[in-house]
Amino acid sequence: MLDIQNLHATVEEKDILKGLTLKVNPGEVHAIMGPNGSGKSTLTNVIAGREGYEVKEGQLNFEGQDLTELSPEERARAGIFLAFQYPVEIPGVSNMEFLRASLEEVRAAQGKEPYDAVTLLRKTREACQQVDLDQAFLKRGVNEGFSGGEKKRNEIMQMLLLEPKLALLDETDSGLDIDALQVVAKGVNSLRSPDRAIVLVTHYQRLLDFIVPDFVHVLSNGRIVKTGGKELALELEEKGYGWITGEEA
Amino acid sequence: MSPNAEINKLLESGYEAGFVTDIESDTLPPGLNEEVIRTISKRKNEPEWLLEWRLAAYRRWLEMDYPEWAHLDYPEVDFNKVSYFSAPKSMKDRPKSLDEVDPELLRTYEKLGIPLHEQEMLAGVQNPVAVDAVFDSVSVGTTFRKQLEEAGVIFCSISEAVHSHPELVKKYLGSVVPQGDNFYAALNSAVFSDGSFVYIPKGVRCPMELSTYFRINEQNTGQFERTLIIADEGSHVSYLEGCTAPMRDENQLHAAVVELVALPGANIKYSTVQNWYPGDEEGRGGIYNFVTKRGVCFDNAKISWTQVETGSAITWKYPSVILRGDNSIGEFYSVALTRHKQQADTGTKMIHLGKNTKSTIVSKGISASKSSNVYRGLVRIGPGAENARNFTQCDSMLIGDTCAAHTFPYIESRNPTAVIEHEATTSKVSEDQLFLCQSRGLDPEKAVSMIVNGFCKEVFQELPMEFAVEARALLEISLEGAVG
Ligand SMILES: Nc1ncnc2c1ncn2[C@@H]1O[C@H](COP(=O)(O)OP(=O)(O)OP(=O)(O)O)[C@@H](O)[C@H]1O
Ligand SMILES: [Mg+2]
């Protein structure tokens, strides 16, 4: 599904990803861990197509298609979803309005009928319930005045409605209290299916207790330096990154 | 039914060709002098007092200096080249067909879903029959008139009112905007062509929203429009001016005057969507819009101005409220969008004279490409205005980095009990916001229009429902190509 080979990417002329290779198949859950500044958010942004993030070398394919040829909105319509580490506010644009517009575009691109008003309302309410957000949030501006945890849950709510093929979650767990963490994990798990893949960026093992990954990768200095199963996360929790990256912990 | 639907129906129903005025003979040669004013007045069969009133305004105008503003930049208008009785416009100067009309304008019409016939009318194509079909139609005009008559509401052209209700016109014309108020108001007073007249009797709630769109002979109001609305004690009225489709007009200079009188306990809501031709990308051919709009509130009365401005090459406009009576309320909600080389200098004046008077100002300025958008507001609290309160919120949004936004709030308080609050923000459509929208499948144009619409929300929710929907569509279209 996602096939990244020897990827080199820059942000504002600065080399950040330096030969990253990662393969994600349908049905798999991958966790990406690694020290601050190692390039985890950069990787998710490169996949989602953020402006200013340039691929200089290597391959970035999604379902056999070269992603670098697609605009960010085309990637979204193709089924890629990025849950942001720092979700931004859009004052005055209600969550509902935003969801409606987004769903319309994404579903149309996938040859699906737009939801009628009643279905849309039902779906959005269900999604709210799933992430334990009050329905009042549908009327509020997108992330406007939301607490940190509410913003994260709002991202997951969008993901549940958009039903992406590939979900990239960038530190969705940070800033969540322990109950919210379980709620979010449940939401993500409900999306797990043989034809979907999930890439989780996280610093903490505890998320992986709830969303059990098939693979754990360590990203360091723009490259994946170690890959293992779920036990690798436990080992990292205990020992830090030093023993892998060659630096003192 | 929407105005568009109404008109579509009319056009489909066909028209009876017949009446076409001899247009050429109705146009005076360019230039302004007392003789021209006498001729205008005579053509309109006006009473002596009105002629004298016009002449007095003209004499004041002659003594006034040509206005210059720091933030507007435009070539001086040669007032001797303007024809002061040019409406209906000379047919032979009009485009022969839509093929001769700016393609950009046509694209906009298409986006707004305006049918061909109406496009021709709006673009001023030589097609007098279609115009007549719309505006001289008996059906639209008269059905509404009947209902209004039953309620005792007077809604007609001001020329008509001069004859049918001279006592009202005489009493209130110039009572809010005096003849010598400013350069363009003086000019308008001297040569005004026509406009709306509204009177709502005591205690009456006007049974429908009044729209210029339905007024008969709308196309004849010309460049010096004059509107007078009087809401008698305890009455309510909502008035809509303009329409979302860009109007093309051969007259480059527009200097309208609007006067609102809200007698004790009355409530006037005046909404405008102004979308005159802004000119091409360089601003060529665009309209200069210099408007004086002002209302006066007596005890317990309320006036609310809501405007959405996207058109004109140059806009100069400050709808104001004089809060003369105790407990009266003034509101101003404005969205002004500029792009290409458009220049807008808009804002409001709230003059608090009565006790416990309240005013609210919400201004949203959006500038894109090389445009300039200025908010200029004055809040004046008179010495007798005990416990006056004002709240001003003034937000600017920039799209790109070659545009400009300026805010000039003036506050003059002569009463220590006044409470004046002012908030101002300037923001940009941020890359983060754009990327969030894109990564949810929205293209950048849609994203920007959504973000801008969100920014304008507080103003749009003041507009009558249908107008609000149109205003949003209009913003969306106006923003096309603003990203990138
Ligand atoms: N716009 C930018 N301009 C310059 N440098 C940038 C920019 N964006 C990211 N970087 C740099 O790229 C490197 C990788 O950043 P990135 O955000 O991908 O790290 P991360 O692994 O997600 O870290 P964290 O765990 O703190 O979220 C950092 O050194 C960061 O400073
Ligand atoms: Mg990060």
Side-chain angles (χ1 to χ4, degrees):
Chain A
M1 175 179 265
L2 181 67
D3 189 4
I4 304 177
Q5 300 281 346
N6 185 33
L7 185 70
H8 291 253
T10 60
V11 184
E12 315 209 328
E13 306 306 316
K14 206 175 141 197
D15 294 321
I16 310 289
L17 300 184
K18 305 167 184 167
L20 184 143
T21 295
L22 174 70
K23 230 178 137 133
V24 178
N25 294 309
E28 293 175 353
V29 174
H30 292 243
I32 296 183
M33 307 184 79
N36 292 135
S38 56
K40 302 180 298 295
S41 294
T42 304
L43 173 63
T44 59
N45 280 319
V46 168
I47 299 171
R50 189 183 192 115
E51 202 177 298
Y53 289 68
E54 281 183 55
V55 172
K56 295 289 181 189
E57 209 187 309
Q59 240 191 59
L60 178 60
N61 285 356
F62 177 70
E63 296 192 314
Q65 190 173 16
D66 181 1
L67 277 184
T68 60
E69 285 170 2
L70 302 183
S71 66
E73 62 271 22
E74 286 165 338
R75 299 181 199 199
R77 292 170 196 166
I80 295 177
F81 180 93
L82 169 59
F84 290 87
Q85 183 173 2
Y86 305 108
V88 65
E89 304 193 2
I90 311 182
V93 176
S94 78
N95 238 341
M96 189 66 175
E97 203 180 326
F98 184 68
L99 286 168
R100 186 175 44 76
S102 166
L103 279 165
E104 213 172 272
E105 295 289 347
V106 172
R107 289 178 64 84
Q110 297 169 0
K112 294 181 197 154
E113 289 282 305
Y115 288 135
D116 59 69
V118 179
T119 314
L120 180 68
L121 195 64
R122 185 171 51 77
K123 290 261 178 197
T124 48
R125 283 183 175 164
E126 279 169 12
C128 273
Q129 228 159 27
Q130 257 184 294
V131 297
D132 201 19
L133 272 181
D134 193 277
Q135 283 169 26
F137 281 88
L138 290 171
K139 287 197 193 136
R140 284 172 62 177
V142 176
N143 296 324
E144 195 179 354
F146 289 19
S147 76
E150 287 163 354
K151 285 182 184 171
K152 296 295 179 73
R153 278 184 275 164
N154 201 38
E155 295 286 289
I156 298 304
M157 195 227 327
Q158 293 169 22
M159 180 186 78
L160 292 174
L161 286 163
L162 288 167
E163 304 175 318
K165 290 181 190 159
L166 173 66
L168 310 164
L169 311 185
D170 192 357
E171 293 197 29
T172 302
D173 54 334
S174 61
L176 290 182
D177 64 48
I178 191 74
D179 292 340
L181 186 72
Q182 292 198 39
V183 164
V184 162
K186 232 169 101 187
V188 174
N189 283 329
S190 76
L191 207 72
R192 281 182 89 152
S193 83
D195 51 359
R196 293 210 178 95
I198 295 165
V199 174
L200 301 167
V201 172
T202 183
H203 285 294
Y204 305 105
Q205 152 63 25
R206 57 170 199 184
L207 176 72
L208 306 180
D209 285 340
F210 300 113
I211 310 172
V212 183
D214 302 299
F215 300 94
V216 174
H217 309 275
V218 176
L219 184 56
S220 170
N221 197 19
R223 248 188 302 233
I224 288 182
V225 291
K226 189 165 179 68
T227 295
K230 58 176 192 270
E231 28 353 289
L232 177 58
L234 289 167
E235 208 174 342
L236 290 169
E237 179 117 305
E238 206 176 301
K239 303 200 223 161
Y241 294 115
W243 62 283
I244 299 171
T245 59
E247 291 152 24
E248 285 304 310
Chain B
M1 192 185 292
S2 77
N4 282 350
E6 186 78 31
I7 281 162
N8 281 346
K9 211 179 85 193
L10 246 156
L11 288 170
E12 276 160 20
S13 70
Y15 51 79
E16 276 164 57
F19 152 80
V20 179
T21 41
D22 182 0
I23 285 125
E24 294 308 320
S25 67
D26 260 356
T27 303
L28 284 183
L32 188 53
N33 53 50
E34 292 206 1
E35 211 36 57
V36 168
I37 292 167
R38 282 177 201 283
T39 315
I40 293 173
S41 189
K42 204 164 149 197
R43 289 251 168 102
K44 295 165 84 66
N45 207 5
E46 286 174 356
E48 186 64 22
W49 68 264
L50 189 50
L51 172 62
E52 286 309 320
W53 194 85
R54 286 178 181 273
L55 289 171
Y58 174 65
R59 289 171 200 136
R60 292 289 297 274
W61 181 73
L62 283 178
E63 286 164 14
M64 296 172 103
D65 289 326
Y66 190 73
E68 283 181 43
W69 294 282
H71 282 272
L72 292 182
D73 173 29
Y74 66 100
E76 203 165 309
V77 179
D78 184 347
F79 293 95
N80 277 318
K81 285 201 175 139
V82 176
S83 179
Y84 292 88
F85 198 79
S86 57
K89 315 312 169 310
S90 170
M91 275 297 146
K92 66 172 199 280
D93 292 341
R94 294 177 167 207
K96 280 195 194 57
S97 72
L98 285 176
D99 296 341
E100 290 176 25
V101 174
D102 182 356
E104 189 61 26
L105 193 65
L106 294 181
R107 238 170 47 80
T108 309
Y109 288 152
E110 259 152 46
K111 290 266 157 77
L112 282 169
I114 293 170
L116 270 186
H117 272 84
E118 207 180 329
Q119 289 186 20
E120 288 177 342
M121 183 200 85
L122 290 164
V125 168
Q126 299 179 4
N127 190 349
V129 190
V131 172
D132 293 342
V134 173
F135 290 113
D136 286 342
S137 139
V138 216
S139 65
V140 178
T142 41
T143 357
F144 286 110
R145 277 196 166 200
K146 265 241 172 65
Q147 271 192 52
L148 292 174
E149 248 164 47
E150 278 162 20
V153 172
I154 305 166
F155 180 34
C156 61
S157 75
I158 201 157
S159 315
E160 227 177 305
V162 167
H163 296 287
S164 58
H165 300 87
E167 68 304 335
L168 284 173
V169 179
K170 202 167 171 179
K171 181 166 176 192
Y172 290 108
L173 186 71
S175 70
V176 190
V177 180
Q179 291 148 306
D181 188 78
N182 65 68
F183 186 84
Y184 287 106
L187 180 63
N188 176 290
S189 301
V191 301
F192 72 87
S193 32
D194 213 336
S196 297
F197 175 84
V198 174
Y199 172 79
I200 316 289
K202 276 186 195 170
V204 168
R205 191 175 274 271
C206 189
M208 68 188 70
E209 260 142 12
L210 299 180
S211 162
T212 41
Y213 213 77
F214 288 129
R215 220 195 48 239
I216 291 177
N217 286 327
E218 171 60 22
Q219 87 281 17
N220 282 354
T221 49
Q223 61 207 111
F224 300 104
E225 190 167 347
R226 183 108 199 173
T227 296
L228 175 59
I229 298 178
I230 304 151
D232 212 329
E233 291 178 28
S235 67
H236 282 245
V237 62
S238 166
Y239 186 88
L240 315 179
E241 179 202 12
C243 67
T244 45
M247 291 255 205
R248 179 126 207 182
D249 197 313
E250 297 308 319
N251 294 310
Q252 202 170 26
L253 174 69
H254 279 244
V257 170
V258 176
E259 295 179 279
L260 309 183
V261 181
L263 292 166
N267 190 325
I268 302 178
K269 186 173 177 65
Y270 191 106
S271 315
T272 308
V273 171
Q274 186 275 112
N275 187 22
W276 272 329
Y277 186 57
D280 62 15
E281 258 170 64
E282 293 299 312
R284 281 181 300 245
I287 298 221
Y288 299 171
N289 188 19
F290 302 104
V291 190
T292 307
K293 287 182 161 175
R294 193 176 303 151
V296 61
C297 280
F298 291 83
D299 286 355
N300 304 308
K302 176 177 170 183
I303 288 178
S304 179
W305 297 102
T306 306
Q307 59 176 35
V308 176
E309 305 269 333
T310 63
S312 298
I314 295 171
T315 305
W316 176 89
K317 173 173 180 181
Y318 315 92
S320 307
V321 184
I322 301 167
L323 298 161
R324 182 153 137 185
D326 293 348
N327 311 311
S328 59
I329 298 173
E331 293 175 343
F332 174 74
Y333 297 95
S334 165
V335 166
L337 174 115
T338 53
R339 63 195 163 123
H340 299 324
K341 288 198 166 167
Q342 278 178 286
Q343 304 170 61
D345 194 315
T346 69
T348 184
K349 292 178 199 158
M350 292 291 174
I351 313 295
H352 293 251
L353 302 175
K355 296 187 186 66
N356 305 317
T357 45
K358 264 199 272 185
S359 63
T360 304
I361 299 170
V362 177
S363 160
K364 305 276 181 176
I366 304 133
S367 5
S369 49
K370 294 186 181 128
S371 65
S372 150
N373 204 325
V374 175
Y375 167 82
R376 200 184 292 277
L378 168 68
V379 176
R380 180 183 290 152
I381 314 281
E386 291 293 313
N387 300 317
R389 296 184 57 173
N390 163 265
F391 172 74
T392 299
Q393 185 188 327
C394 198
D395 301 323
S396 313
M397 180 175 263
L398 306 176
I399 302 172
D401 42 23
T402 52
C403 52
H406 307 273
T407 306
F408 302 101
Y410 302 97
I411 296 168
E412 296 169 12
S413 179
R414 294 169 60 199
N415 186 312
T417 62
V419 179
I420 300 170
E421 290 173 80
H422 181 90
E423 284 175 12
T425 64
T426 301
S427 54
K428 279 195 139 195
V429 173
S430 77
E431 277 176 26
D432 287 347
Q433 288 173 328
L434 263 184
F435 184 55
L436 169 61
C437 294
Q438 284 182 277
S439 68
R440 299 299 179 256
L442 307 177
D443 63 51
E445 274 185 356
K446 193 145 201 174
V448 167
S449 112
M450 191 170 216
I451 295 165
V452 170
N453 266 308
F455 173 73
C456 300
K457 188 173 170 189
E458 290 143 287
V459 175
F460 285 168
Q461 65 196 17
E462 292 299 322
L463 286 171
M465 181 64 173
E466 193 178 319
F467 234 33
V469 173
E470 288 183 33
R472 291 181 64 125
L474 177 61
L475 269 203
E476 193 161 319
I477 289 163
S478 306
L479 281 166
E480 272 182 12
V483 203

